[in-house]
Amino acid sequence: MDTSIWLLEYLFLGSSTTYIALQTFQIAPLLGFLYLAFILSAVAGLIKLRPVQGAMVFASPLGLFNAFLYLTILLSKISSAQSPDVDTTSRLSGSLVGATSATAIPTVGSATIAPSGTVTTTFRPIFTVPGSAAQGAVLLPNINDPNAVDAQTVCPGYVGSNVLRTPHGLTATLNLAGPACNVYGTDVETLNLTVEYQSADRLSVNISPAYIDASNSSHFILPSDLIYKPTVDSNAGSSSLTNDLGFFWSNEPTFSFSVVRMSTGDVLFSTYGTKIVYENQFIEFVSTLPENHNLYGLGEVIHGLRLGNNLTRTLYAADVGDPIDYNLYGSHPFYLDTRYYEVDASTGNLTLVTTDEANATGKDYVSYSHGVYNRNAHGQEVLLRPSNITWRALGGSIDLYFFPGSTQQEVTTSYQAGAIGLPVMQQYFTFGFHQCRWGYANWTVIQDVVDNYAKFDIPLETIWTDIDYMNQYRDFDNDAIRFNYAEGQQLLAKLHANGQHYVPIVDSAIYIPNPQNASDAYPTFNRGNATGSFLLNPDGTLYIGEVWPGYTVFPDWLGSGAGKWWVDEMTTWHGNVPFDGIWIDMSEASSFCVGSCGTYNVTMNPVHPSFSLPGDPGALIYNYPEGFNLTNATEAASASSAAAAQSSANAASAGPPPATTVIPTPLVTSPTPGVRNINYPPYVINNVQGDLAVHAVSPNATHHNGVSEYDVHNLFGHQILNATYNALLSIFPSKRPFIIGRSTFAGSGIFAGHWGGDNFSLWAYMFFSIPQALSFSLFGIPMFGVDTCGFQGNADEELCNRWMQLSAFFPFYRNHNDLNSIDQEAYIWASVIDATKTAMAIRFQLLPYMYTLFYHAHTTGATIMRALAWEFPNDPSLAAADRQFFLGPAILVTPVLVQGATSVDGVFPGVGKGEVYYDWYTHSHVTAAPGENKTISAPLGHIPVYIRGGHVLPMQQPAMTTRDARKTPWNVLVALNSEGTATGNLYLDDGESLNPNSTLYVELAATKQGGSKLWTSGRGAYVEGNKLANVTVLGVGSVGEVRFNGMVVNASCVGYDEGKKVLSVTGLGVMGSAWGTDWVLSW
């Protein structure tokens, strides 16, 4: 035989032996040992094998033997990939049960889940998880069930006894007032009531089971190390005496309590006439509300700012693409209640306003606001009805905190400072413009985007990457070809040198490698598994769900190992990718399958999700904004035709519909005494996903400390933000961490900001972004923004033009869209370029103002974006106003929110009582009648912005980055009120330090004492070296001699427009640093 044939055979023998040995060792180690013993014996001549006669190749019997085994193993793998017995692990309370086979043969493709048109690595045919794995039980929400039992009609309530006064309130015992009803769980026989006047502005009412031990603590008690629990202030002995709230209780006919505002006698909260229901899986209490009440909060939801009196708010963290009026990513069990009273001019008596006052002119009103926080992390429903509010929870306790206010700002300050924590201070750069999209294919594309912004002179502060950068969608690991570390480090070094930044996404699930594929190694998982960092099944095995990379595990934030492991992984990764902040996603936590579906299927990893991705065949995106057909008729017709063709093709491939439609019977469970059904609670909340385990980690997933996910589901997002905050502190010990997260809870603002999630490129969602932002102002998360121009669907030029301008006045300003949507960067359309530059120029001038606002938010709980009703609390006509907003107290924004409009209607609150407004662009005084909804010209590319009289704005000049903007000269804009006065302030530091070595705080005041003057008074050691370029004063009636620090200003540096009443003073740079010394300008 030819020598080359022998050489080929020996090479095959060596490689095939290695492969077969590895495979057999994975299947059964004993087989592996027997196989190796046989091969070694044959090679050593201990076993004589007869040569194969007449063979052209593989004359050695070992060659044929290995060829047979190799082909057998290969064919078995292909067969298992095409026709697997897929285990979709069912969920039963308290145990992990056996597998069931998929009902349909799954499809197999050769593409990994990567953006269409990008370069990706295909490792083998990818198994697609069947759709049945994502289907939960069919459930009927209680509020929609006509046969649902009303607990108020069948439950006995409680009777109070053993009342004891305490230094700060009282305690009592509550016992069932009759036979247990056990309607949606097992009634708790005995409860403890604790009432505490904790401070001058906080009253606590806690009702919880009297008998708590390790076996049931998590069922009812929310630990303070997870969510801060307010306690009695150290000075409460004296301060609580000034608390304007009174607590009263009664046993007639059963126990009820009321909270009263003592200064007015107004009953703010009362359960009188209703019963408290307290079971191990169902809690209900009801309070009366005035007619046409004004409640705000209870997030997260896409809804108008005022919640209305016919809405059920579900609080259960959900991975869902921003549907209207359903539960979303976060849970915030807090509401603000504002009540308006008409004041009798002759007697001063107050009459509650119970109708919408569209025009409140000619009358005097006063309002009182209070806040209510229910510190409960279980799944909840809050039913808002015309005359009452009903709270229902699937566990936990009644842990209420009342904040008397009486203004929105006082309530918000009390809530944040006393109950959940003040918002984290942001770095200065975070207020620049951010660009992202799902679909940036590689570092070269990223660089192109950065270069294009520079090419069109549009400021770009931070570039972001979605999951495209990941190695097969695995956290802390870049794709070695498209986003390799060396090239990335070069690009990021260039960005950083230019004063720009980079933020990547990090998902909340961790890929579990295929144990039968040595090349599928993933050290991040190995290290986490070794430290007990992942959630478990009830039987102690790993809980394995499914997210983007395939079958995944989930960090256990309640265990002892996950926190340090997370810090270590992020720190190690930063050594390869020098990012500047982190974007946390999928943190509800999301899982694409129901239950621990990967438990018996890990050997199939990586797998493709059961749904198509945008851009996949049959999932091309043809959606455009409302009115697109009016402005782009030809393109709209083409898109409509293509969408119809795609829909027909999808219907054809799906096959004919069944001859008969079977309506599934909803699953109904009944309480079992003393046992909780945590996967299917007897009371069904109105969850957007139905089954609690759909697109979520199953409720029976178990933490290492024994706590079920059912009890802490709403806290996963909060805990991952906490862990990420600690990780960034480890990486940047002296810097403020910059984090944007998706799922939040009460108090998450102490760690991170939030974006509005997967919104749509629709005009409706641009409108809803305003009440979303205002609501998160109440929740203590002021660093809020939405995906500008929309995430899902295709944007168009008009929508993006308007939206890029609107978002310029949100604290977090980012453009981000979906995989395979059309491009929507600010430089794509000519008119959007101009509109963006116009709005960004205003934003950059206001950066010092915004930064100062955040300083106040961080230190006092002040809001950044403000509803008109909050700035003008005594005007009931503004109670539902959410199409305009204030940025701080000084800037009024009136955006166009309707397609095709060239004007917008807006109100100018307070003009009937002396308020003054000036047009930002012209500095002209605005003329408007009291209560008038004034029509304002707003052609495309123009967003109406106004300065409210009475405010002083220290400003700097626009630049391409915030770093460069901070190097520009200062100018001061003074907007005088009707009395000729104005005030303002400025906070400065190095813009990044967690604990700045020095700060500077400057107060500015325009007065009329001894003539018209603008005073400055600074304190602090921070040195700000930029010069003062000019001062502009609006609303100046007349001008005399202009002096600066007593010295006459050269006439050539003084300008006065008598028509607009605007004074301009330039040439002030001779003084050096604008804030190095105090100064006075007089005129």
Side-chain angles (χ1 to χ4, degrees):
M1 180 175 287
D2 188 273
T3 304
S4 61
I5 297 298
W6 278 106
L7 179 61
L8 177 63
E9 181 163 355
Y10 285 132
L11 287 172
F12 173 75
L13 276 174
S15 61
S16 62
T17 298
T18 302
Y19 174 79
I20 295 168
L22 287 173
Q23 295 299 315
T24 52
F25 272 112
Q26 289 178 355
I27 298 170
L30 180 59
L31 285 177
F33 281 116
L34 291 175
Y35 170 74
L36 280 182
F38 172 76
I39 294 295
L40 293 174
S41 297
V43 171
L46 300 178
I47 299 177
K48 302 294 184 181
L49 299 174
R50 180 180 299 174
V52 179
Q53 300 297 321
M56 296 180 63
V57 185
F58 298 155
S60 165
L62 282 180
L64 286 174
F65 178 65
N66 270 9
F68 171 75
L69 289 179
Y70 176 80
L71 291 173
T72 300
I73 293 172
L74 184 62
L75 287 171
S76 69
K77 282 183 168 292
I78 295 174
S79 176
S80 66
Q82 292 178 338
S83 302
D85 183 16
V86 180
D87 294 326
T88 54
T89 304
S90 300
R91 299 170 297 130
L92 289 181
S93 178
S95 65
L96 176 71
V97 301
T100 58
S101 298
T103 56
I105 298 176
T107 60
V108 177
S110 60
T112 57
I113 42 177
S116 177
T118 66
V119 180
T120 187
T121 304
T122 301
F123 296 89
R124 61 169 177 78
I126 298 298
F127 168 65
T128 297
V129 177
S132 58
Q135 296 174 1
V138 176
L139 302 173
L140 178 62
N142 181 277
I143 62 169
N144 298 329
D145 184 357
N147 299 315
V149 177
D150 180 1
Q152 290 295 315
T153 64
V154 298
C155 293
Y158 288 82
V159 173
S161 62
N162 301 326
V163 180
L164 296 175
R165 291 180 179 174
T166 67
H168 302 291
L170 62 86
T171 62
T173 301
L174 306 181
N175 290 293
L176 279 176
C181 61
N182 298 328
V183 61
Y184 296 114
T186 302
D187 281 26
V188 178
E189 176 72 29
T190 304
L191 303 171
N192 286 335
L193 167 69
T194 302
V195 178
E196 292 179 331
Y197 289 85
Q198 296 184 338
S199 70
D201 58 1
R202 188 173 66 254
L203 170 67
S204 167
V205 177
N206 181 277
I207 301 175
S208 55
Y211 306 107
I212 297 289
D213 58 26
S215 67
N216 67 353
S217 178
S218 68
H219 304 181
F220 303 108
I221 304 301
L222 178 56
S224 59
D225 60 343
L226 294 183
I227 296 297
Y228 175 74
K229 181 174 176 61
T231 56
V232 175
D233 286 3
S234 59
N235 65 344
S238 57
S239 67
S240 65
L241 297 177
T242 63
N243 194 311
D244 195 26
L245 299 180
F247 176 87
F248 302 92
W249 69 278
S250 169
N251 273 336
E252 298 297 334
T254 61
F255 173 79
S256 64
F257 70 90
S258 300
V259 175
V260 177
R261 186 184 299 279
M262 301 304 293
S263 61
T264 63
D266 188 20
V267 178
L268 307 185
F269 195 95
S270 178
T271 66
Y272 181 78
T274 66
K275 300 167 185 173
I276 291 176
V277 182
Y278 207 122
E279 301 176 341
N280 65 349
Q281 285 197 270
F282 180 73
I283 297 172
E284 178 177 281
F285 56 98
V286 184
S287 172
T288 55
L289 283 175
E291 184 182 355
N292 286 322
H293 45 76
N294 303 299
L295 263 62
Y296 313 88
L298 296 175
E300 179 176 7
V301 64
I302 305 292
H303 189 83
L305 179 62
R306 185 170 64 174
L307 296 176
N309 60 13
N310 187 26
L311 176 70
T312 297
R313 281 294 302 112
T314 303
L315 278 66
Y316 193 80
D319 171 17
V320 62
D322 285 20
I324 295 171
D325 285 352
Y326 282 94
N327 52 306
L328 296 179
Y329 316 102
S331 298
H332 294 270
F334 166 85
Y335 70 79
L336 174 77
D337 182 342
T338 298
R339 303 181 184 185
Y340 294 93
Y341 298 84
E342 184 177 345
V343 181
D344 188 300
S346 59
T347 66
N349 292 337
L350 304 181
T351 303
L352 181 67
V353 176
T354 58
T355 59
D356 284 335
E357 297 290 314
N359 190 330
T361 60
K363 298 179 182 179
D364 289 329
Y365 298 90
V366 65
S367 75
Y368 290 89
S369 294
H370 68 273
V372 180
Y373 168 42
N374 186 25
R375 185 179 167 275
N376 186 314
H378 281 75
Q380 297 179 61
E381 272 183 353
V382 185
L383 284 64
L384 298 174
R385 299 297 183 261
S387 62
N388 58 52
I389 178 172
T390 300
W391 291 80
R392 293 172 179 167
L394 300 183
S397 62
I398 301 173
D399 195 9
L400 293 167
Y401 298 85
F402 297 90
F403 308 94
S406 61
T407 66
Q408 168 273 326
Q409 188 53 68
E410 290 172 335
V411 171
T412 303
T413 295
S414 299
Y415 175 53
Q416 295 178 28
I420 63 170
L422 294 164
V424 63
M425 184 64 182
Q426 297 292 338
Q427 295 186 56
Y428 205 94
F429 88 83
T430 63
F431 300 110
F433 173 67
H434 305 256
Q435 178 62 53
C436 183
R437 82 161 297 168
W438 182 12
Y440 288 150
N442 50 48
W443 287 126
T444 301
V445 173
I446 296 292
Q447 185 64 64
D448 288 344
V449 173
V450 174
D451 292 344
N452 279 332
Y453 271 96
K455 175 182 176 181
F456 291 99
D457 295 318
I458 304 172
L460 174 64
E461 187 75 22
T462 305
I463 190 73
W464 296 50
T465 49
D466 210 308
I467 58 177
D468 313 275
Y469 78 86
M470 296 178 178
N471 174 20
Q472 302 176 81
Y473 305 109
R474 304 175 189 188
D475 279 353
F476 312 124
D477 192 12
N478 279 35
D479 186 288
I481 297 175
R482 298 179 294 112
F483 285 91
N484 68 81
Y485 294 138
E487 184 182 355
Q489 289 167 6
Q490 292 177 358
L491 185 151
L492 298 183
K494 183 177 176 182
L495 273 181
H496 291 150
N498 199 39
Q500 295 172 299
H501 302 83
Y502 168 65
V503 174
I505 196 172
V506 173
D507 278 341
S508 302
I510 300 298
Y511 179 75
I512 180 169
N514 188 331
Q516 295 184 2
N517 184 356
S519 67
D520 201 35
Y522 184 39
T524 290
F525 165 80
N526 297 338
R527 291 187 288 264
N529 197 36
T531 53
S533 297
F534 303 129
L535 283 171
L536 306 173
N537 284 305
D539 66 356
T541 59
L542 284 176
Y543 180 94
I544 305 174
E546 179 218 343
V547 193
W548 297 118
Y551 293 122
T552 56
V553 293
F554 301 84
D556 174 9
W557 305 117
L558 275 60
S560 60
K564 185 179 185 305
W565 161 79
W566 189 258
V567 169
D568 291 345
E569 293 303 316
M570 195 164 286
T571 302
T572 300
W573 185 47
H574 182 264
N576 294 317
V577 184
F579 51 77
D580 301 288
I582 290 295
W583 170 23
I584 295 295
D585 197 15
M586 312 297 286
S587 51
E588 293 71 33
S590 173
S591 178
F592 297 159
C593 66
V594 172
S596 188
C597 61
T599 293
Y600 303 115
N601 295 309
V602 176
T603 56
M604 306 180 74
N605 245 352
V607 298
H608 190 287
S610 59
F611 51 85
S612 298
L613 300 182
D616 282 352
L620 299 178
I621 298 172
Y622 298 112
N623 299 327
Y624 284 89
E626 310 95 319
F628 182 70
N629 59 312
L630 303 177
T631 56
N632 299 268
T634 301
E635 190 175 353
S638 176
S640 177
S641 176
Q646 177 173 263
S647 178
S648 298
N650 289 342
S653 63
T660 58
T661 301
V662 178
I663 300 176
T665 301
L667 174 66
V668 177
T669 63
S670 300
T672 301
V675 177
R676 296 195 307 165
N677 186 340
I678 58 178
N679 284 327
Y680 303 107
Y683 183 86
V684 181
I685 62 174
N686 190 33
N687 179 27
V688 65
Q689 299 286 12
D691 189 328
L692 300 181
V694 171
H695 264 262
V697 171
S698 175
N700 76 331
T702 307
H703 296 261
H704 281 75
N705 63 357
V707 174
S708 297
E709 181 69 3
Y710 176 91
D711 296 319
V712 291
H713 166 81
N714 283 339
L715 300 183
F716 189 99
H718 181 82
Q719 293 304 114
I720 196 174
L721 294 176
N722 186 358
T724 304
Y725 185 89
N726 292 332
L728 293 187
L729 280 183
S730 176
I731 296 167
F732 311 108
S734 63
K735 287 187 179 181
R736 306 162 200 161
F738 174 48
I739 308 166
I740 296 295
R742 190 164 83 171
S743 183
T744 59
F745 190 76
S748 292
I750 67 175
F751 304 124
H754 174 62
W755 97 103
D758 297 347
N759 63 355
F760 291 82
S761 294
L762 295 171
W763 290 86
Y765 280 82
M766 181 169 67
F767 156 69
F768 279 123
S769 69
I770 299 174
Q772 274 185 285
L774 296 174
S775 295
F776 273 87
S777 294
L778 296 178
F779 302 149
I781 307 181
M783 191 61 173
F784 178 88
V786 298
D787 284 346
T788 302
C789 301
F791 177 73
Q792 301 184 67
N794 295 312
D796 68 5
E797 183 174 4
E798 184 184 2
L799 176 67
C800 207
N801 184 305
R802 295 296 192 186
W803 210 333
M804 283 296 295
Q805 291 203 315
L806 170 61
S807 287
F809 298 91
F810 281 48
F812 179 52
Y813 185 18
R814 185 183 73 167
N815 183 313
H816 175 226
N817 65 322
D818 202 353
L819 181 68
N820 288 109
S821 297
I822 64 172
D823 294 339
Q824 63 180 40
E825 288 82 3
Y827 52 75
I828 295 299
W829 296 285
S831 76
V832 179
I833 294 174
D834 295 336
T836 299
K837 288 182 178 180
T838 298
M840 282 191 181
I842 303 174
R843 182 183 181 90
F844 267 82
Q845 292 177 76
L846 291 174
L847 283 178
Y849 172 67
M850 294 181 69
Y851 193 68
T852 301
L853 289 174
F854 256 82
Y855 167 74
H856 291 303
H858 173 63
T859 55
T860 71
T863 51
I864 311 299
M865 291 180 65
R866 304 179 181 183
L868 273 58
W870 304 345
E871 284 297 299
F872 293 88
N874 297 327
D875 184 349
S877 70
L878 303 176
D882 54 11
R883 294 175 179 268
Q884 299 171 264
F885 62 92
F886 281 96
L887 180 62
I891 300 297
L892 174 63
V893 182
T894 307
V896 172
L897 302 170
V898 178
Q899 189 275 328
T902 57
S903 65
V904 59
D905 292 343
V907 298
F908 293 89
V911 292
K913 297 183 180 296
E915 287 289 337
V916 177
Y917 294 88
Y918 303 93
D919 186 284
W920 173 274
Y921 305 94
T922 66
H923 292 169
S924 298
H925 176 274
V926 174
T927 302
E932 178 188 4
N933 208 8
K934 184 180 178 69
T935 299
I936 304 162
S937 177
L940 190 64
H942 176 76
I943 181 170
V945 179
Y946 301 92
I947 311 147
R948 181 180 169 192
H951 296 276
V952 181
L953 299 173
M955 304 188 299
Q956 288 182 281
Q957 301 305 307
M960 293 300 287
T961 63
T962 59
R963 180 197 67 180
D964 293 343
R966 293 198 71 175
K967 300 175 183 178
T968 63
W970 289 89
N971 59 295
V972 177
L973 181 62
V974 182
L976 298 176
N977 60 19
S978 58
E979 297 177 353
T981 64
T983 59
N985 51 72
L986 172 68
Y987 172 80
L988 292 171
D989 58 21
D990 64 10
E992 64 179 26
S993 293
L994 190 65
N995 298 297
N997 292 327
S998 59
T999 64
L1000 176 64
Y1001 189 80
V1002 181
E1003 293 180 293
L1004 303 96
T1007 68
K1008 296 188 70 174
Q1009 294 179 351
S1012 297
K1013 298 178 181 179
L1014 173 64
W1015 304 77
T1016 69
S1017 175
R1019 55 186 181 271
Y1022 179 75
V1023 177
E1024 208 294 326
N1026 296 304
K1027 295 182 178 182
L1028 177 63
N1030 59 76
V1031 175
T1032 303
V1033 188
L1034 313 183
V1036 177
S1038 61
V1039 177
E1041 190 174 53
V1042 178
R1043 292 176 176 267
F1044 187 80
N1045 282 345
M1047 302 293 291
V1048 177
V1049 177
N1050 191 301
S1052 65
C1053 297
V1054 177
Y1056 179 63
D1057 186 325
E1058 188 172 359
K1060 294 182 178 180
K1061 301 186 182 303
V1062 176
L1063 169 66
S1064 299
V1065 183
T1066 60
L1068 302 176
V1070 293
M1071 67 171 288
S1073 171
W1075 316 115
T1077 60
D1078 296 341
W1079 49 265
V1080 180
L1081 177 72
S1082 60
W1083 60 91

